[in-house]
């Protein structure tokens, strides 16, 4: 059988139901995680789109450089 001193030791080690509920008030819920993940997915989608646009933009610069180089060669031949 448990003595009073045993019960006191147990209450020092383990939390009570009220203490547990109080600590759980600040813990994130599934809905909180879902909201965060939805926001992260939206941001990731925007970053992915920006990367694609940037790749297309840089490719257009490369194309312009090649055209400039070709025109420069043709102009040098004409001169």
């Amino acid at each position: 059988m448990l003595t009073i001193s045993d019960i006191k030791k147990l209450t020092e080690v383990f939390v009570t139901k009220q203490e547990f509920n109080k600590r759980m008030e600040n813990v994130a819920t599934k809905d909180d995680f879902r909201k965060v993940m939805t926001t992260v997915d939206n941001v990731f989608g925007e970053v992915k789109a920006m990367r694609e646009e940037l790749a297309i933009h840089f490719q257009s610069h490369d194309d312009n450089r090649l055209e400039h180089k070709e025109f420069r060669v043709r102009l040098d031949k004409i001169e």
Side-chain angles (χ1 to χ4, degrees):
M1 182 152 229
L2 292 175
T3 65
I4 294 179
S5 65
D6 293 334
I7 294 173
K8 286 181 182 180
K9 288 179 187 176
L10 288 173
T11 56
E12 291 173 7
V13 175
F14 297 104
V15 296
T16 64
K17 187 174 184 179
Q18 291 83 12
E19 292 171 337
F20 178 78
N21 288 335
K22 186 175 180 180
R23 290 182 186 180
M24 292 301 291
E25 288 175 357
N26 297 327
V27 175
T29 63
K30 285 183 181 181
D31 288 335
D32 295 335
F33 284 117
R34 194 171 292 123
K35 288 176 187 176
V36 169
M37 291 308 295
T38 301
T39 304
V40 169
D41 285 343
N42 291 338
V43 170
F44 180 72
E46 289 181 25
V47 169
K48 187 177 178 184
M50 286 176 62
R51 282 184 180 174
E52 291 171 357
E53 290 174 12
L54 202 57
I56 292 169
H57 180 76
F58 284 129
Q59 183 61 44
S60 70
H61 281 279
D62 290 341
D63 293 344
N64 288 341
R65 276 191 214 112
L66 287 175
E67 286 180 26
H68 176 72
K69 195 174 192 180
E70 289 173 12
F71 285 128
R72 191 72 205 150
V73 169
R74 289 172 63 187
L75 186 61
D76 287 343
K77 286 181 183 179
I78 293 173
E79 290 178 343

